[in-house]
Amino acid sequence: MTEAPMILPRVNGVPLVNADEAVALDEPTLRQRACTELLRQAAQAAGLLAADDPVPEQGAISPAAADAIEALLDQALVCPEPTEEACRRHFAAHAGRYAVGEKVQARHVLFAVTPGVDVNALRQRAEACLLDLRCRQEGEADRFAEVAASTSNCPSGAQGGTLGWLRKEDCAPEFARELFGQAEVGVLPRLVHSRFGLHVVEVLAREPGTQPDFEVVRPAVAQSLRQQSYATALRQYLSLLAGQSRVEGIDLDAADTPLVQ
């Protein structure tokens, strides 16, 4: 009995991968390629990009396609300017994010995402590690340091995973968002995702820093709300494009009608 031929992920017939990549690429990378291809084809449909723009190779689009997608999004996405009231509400709910001089003493176990790694298997290992470390008993030997030394893909594993005292500017932004502006101490109850991989993180101590007045940080608050609005509008636009397209081999959120914020 012969095996059925592999169906490569496609958007409106345009392949997202070649046969060699199909097995190695994880789902987030495939989703990113699918979203980029949806936007590239939408730019062509809008007359912003030539019909003979080359099909991306290994996910790399042409410079003309990158410019056309940027122009398309400028036209298609409606992102209202945050109001004073919205800025004040956001600041009141997330004041800790804007503390000046805040420091966190932390350590971690890193499960690095590297080319060709089985991301699902890696996540399962990370989640099992998280559960193990959250269940350790008081007075037990320093299990966290032992696990970091034997498991972590970070050089800090040799020192029990210790990262020392960190400030926001010492960390990748996505890592900092999970650590700062919070009150949690101990092993965080969730995996922390960063560009480096999946982290099991323990916060050992916090120094809260000082809290500036709203007027001082209003530009930063407004920019944060703009970024949130843009991300929401982009997700909705991509959902609409997916609903209007033939997407094969990968699941994307799709909508048949326009969505509003």
Side-chain angles (χ1 to χ4, degrees):
M1 183 176 179
T2 59
E3 294 184 2
M6 179 183 297
I7 299 176
L8 297 180
R10 300 172 184 270
V11 172
N12 293 322
V14 176
L16 303 175
V17 298
N18 58 43
D20 293 334
E21 294 179 298
V23 177
L25 290 184
D26 57 39
E27 185 171 347
T29 301
L30 285 175
R31 287 174 63 89
Q32 180 61 50
R33 287 195 184 182
C35 291
T36 300
E37 183 57 24
L38 284 169
L39 293 171
R40 191 184 73 89
Q41 293 182 21
Q44 289 177 316
L48 299 170
L49 180 64
D52 61 354
D53 179 72
V55 172
E57 294 186 8
Q58 296 185 325
I61 62 175
S62 68
D67 292 341
I69 288 173
E70 184 175 351
L72 174 72
L73 294 179
D74 285 342
Q75 293 179 9
L77 303 189
V78 178
C79 300
E81 185 68 14
T83 64
E84 180 77 7
E85 180 184 0
C87 288
R88 288 187 177 276
R89 282 200 311 268
H90 178 82
F91 178 72
H94 307 286
R97 295 182 183 177
Y98 302 96
V100 177
E102 181 183 8
K103 293 197 294 185
V104 172
Q105 187 182 27
R107 56 184 179 175
H108 76 150
V109 179
L110 171 63
F111 294 82
V113 174
T114 55
V117 72
D118 184 334
V119 177
N120 288 329
L122 187 73
R123 183 178 295 109
Q124 290 174 7
R125 288 179 54 217
E127 289 174 346
C129 176
L130 174 62
L131 180 62
D132 173 38
L133 292 177
R134 292 198 73 208
C135 291
R136 76 174 190 252
Q137 300 295 315
E138 186 176 350
E140 187 180 354
D142 193 352
R143 176 74 176 150
F144 197 106
E146 293 174 358
V147 172
S150 63
T151 306
S152 183
N153 298 131
C154 178
S156 66
Q159 289 78 45
T162 183
L163 297 171
W165 283 98
L166 302 171
R167 298 167 298 177
K168 289 181 184 179
E169 55 267 32
D170 298 327
C171 310
E174 65 274 16
F175 192 82
R177 279 194 296 270
E178 294 292 332
L179 263 68
F180 294 88
Q182 314 286 342
E184 297 165 309
V185 174
V187 178
L188 300 185
R190 60 195 174 276
L191 292 176
V192 175
H193 296 241
S194 82
R195 66 197 65 183
F196 305 108
L198 306 173
H199 309 252
V200 177
V201 178
E202 181 176 21
V203 174
L204 301 171
R206 292 181 179 274
E207 289 186 4
T210 58
Q211 185 63 60
D213 293 334
F214 169 74
E215 288 72 17
V216 174
V217 295
R218 189 195 185 289
V221 173
Q223 182 60 23
S224 179
L225 291 180
R226 290 188 196 101
Q227 291 173 347
Q228 291 179 21
S229 179
Y230 183 89
T232 299
L234 179 57
R235 284 195 301 269
Q236 293 172 346
Y237 184 53
L238 286 167
S239 179
L240 178 60
L241 292 178
Q244 297 170 343
S245 303
R246 188 175 75 258
V247 180
E248 304 170 83
I250 186 170
D251 292 328
L252 293 178
D253 295 331
D256 296 325
T257 56
L259 303 174
V260 296
Q261 297 190 68

